[in-house]
Amino acid sequence: MNPNQLEYFRQKLLHWKKELIGEANETLASLSEGGILEADLADRATVETDRALELRTRDRARKLISKIDMALERIEDGSYGYCEETGEPIGIKRLEARPIATLSIEAQERHEKMEKIYRDE
């Protein structure tokens, strides 16, 4: 991968991380606005369900930020864009679709197939 491509993916990852952090800050602000004021039990349950869903979404975003940070580290150490399993280059189209990818498509398919086999047993 050439330096321009690496910089492109670095900027893409940084932008994605910034968006996720912004969304997390919005969630924190909305959750800190106060308690649930709805008197009706059904409305209260709806608000609590919405908050629980938002917290699960933020937890997934937190994990994604960690993966973004690891991808940025791989850019710095020169291992970004190479499959962790085979050492072969990961296709640009795959990285464009999933910039945090650590496995080539073939290695990912093998991994998923093995997961399915062991899960079915």
Side-chain angles (χ1 to χ4, degrees):
M1 189 175 299
N2 70 46
N4 288 337
Q5 290 170 322
L6 284 173
E7 183 58 24
Y8 168 79
F9 284 111
R10 190 176 80 74
Q11 290 300 321
K12 184 175 182 123
L13 289 162
L14 289 171
H15 179 72
W16 193 10
K17 180 179 176 179
K18 183 179 177 182
E19 283 180 358
L20 291 169
I21 290 172
E23 291 169 5
N25 290 336
E26 289 175 15
T27 298
L28 284 174
S30 70
L31 290 176
S32 65
E33 286 177 356
I36 300 171
L37 304 174
E38 285 75 12
D40 182 60
L41 290 178
D43 290 342
R44 183 175 292 183
T46 299
V47 170
E48 287 178 5
T49 300
D50 290 346
R51 283 186 174 184
L53 178 62
E54 185 65 27
L55 288 172
R56 281 196 306 271
T57 301
R58 289 302 121 228
D59 187 51
R60 277 191 225 107
R62 179 187 56 78
K63 292 174 184 173
L64 185 53
I65 289 170
S66 174
K67 289 180 180 183
I68 290 170
D69 287 338
M70 290 188 297
L72 290 168
E73 287 174 19
R74 288 193 308 276
I75 287 174
E76 293 303 315
D77 71 20
S79 64
Y80 183 80
Y82 293 94
C83 179
E84 289 181 345
E85 191 173 290
T86 66
E88 296 292 318
I90 298 171
I92 296 293
K93 288 182 181 180
R94 173 154 171 74
L95 289 172
E96 183 66 39
R98 185 147 179 87
I100 59 173
T102 59
L103 299 173
S104 65
I105 290 175
E106 296 80 13
Q108 183 68 38
E109 287 173 348
R110 280 192 305 274
H111 177 74
E112 289 173 5
K113 187 180 280 187
M114 293 304 292
E115 259 184 3
K116 186 175 191 282
I117 289 170
Y118 287 114
R119 184 179 52 220
D120 290 344
E121 288 181 355

